[in-house]
């Protein structure tokens, strides 16, 4: 399955690090605005990817851009 993760540009480093650490490959695409991205992930482990997104979002919330 393919999953798209929409993120603000300042979260890119956090999400890509989490994806690399868990061995997910992804394709980075421009988002709807100049300030966001789409990360397209091909996976057969959607639950694991979902948990990764939750963890990356929690980390981003703790380091929220000021």
């Amino acid at each position: 399955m393919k999953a798209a993760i929409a993120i603000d540009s300042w979260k890119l480093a956090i999400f890509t690090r989490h994806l690399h650490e868990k061995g997910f490959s992804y394709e980075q695409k421009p988002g709807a605005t100049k300030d966001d991205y789409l990360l397209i992930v091909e996976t057969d482990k959607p639950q694991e990817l979902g948990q990764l997104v939750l963890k990356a979002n929690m980390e981003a919330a703790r380091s929220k851009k000021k």
Side-chain angles (χ1 to χ4, degrees):
M1 81 173 263
K2 279 190 180 183
I5 304 168
I7 58 169
D8 293 325
S9 59
W10 66 270
K11 296 179 182 181
L12 183 62
I14 295 169
F15 274 80
T16 57
R17 180 172 40 81
H18 279 265
L19 288 164
H20 285 292
E21 286 175 357
K22 291 294 184 178
F24 285 99
S25 58
Y26 63 92
E27 188 177 349
Q28 182 177 316
K29 301 272 190 180
T33 72
K34 65 179 175 65
D35 295 324
D36 57 62
Y37 292 100
L38 282 178
L39 303 177
I40 310 299
V41 182
E42 181 84 34
T43 184
D44 58 350
K45 301 175 183 176
Q47 291 83 9
E48 187 176 332
L49 181 60
Q51 290 300 308
L52 180 148
V53 170
L54 289 173
K55 288 178 184 178
N57 268 326
M58 287 191 304
E59 180 179 335
R62 287 191 303 270
S63 66
K64 190 169 182 176
K65 181 179 159 182
K66 308 229 186 299

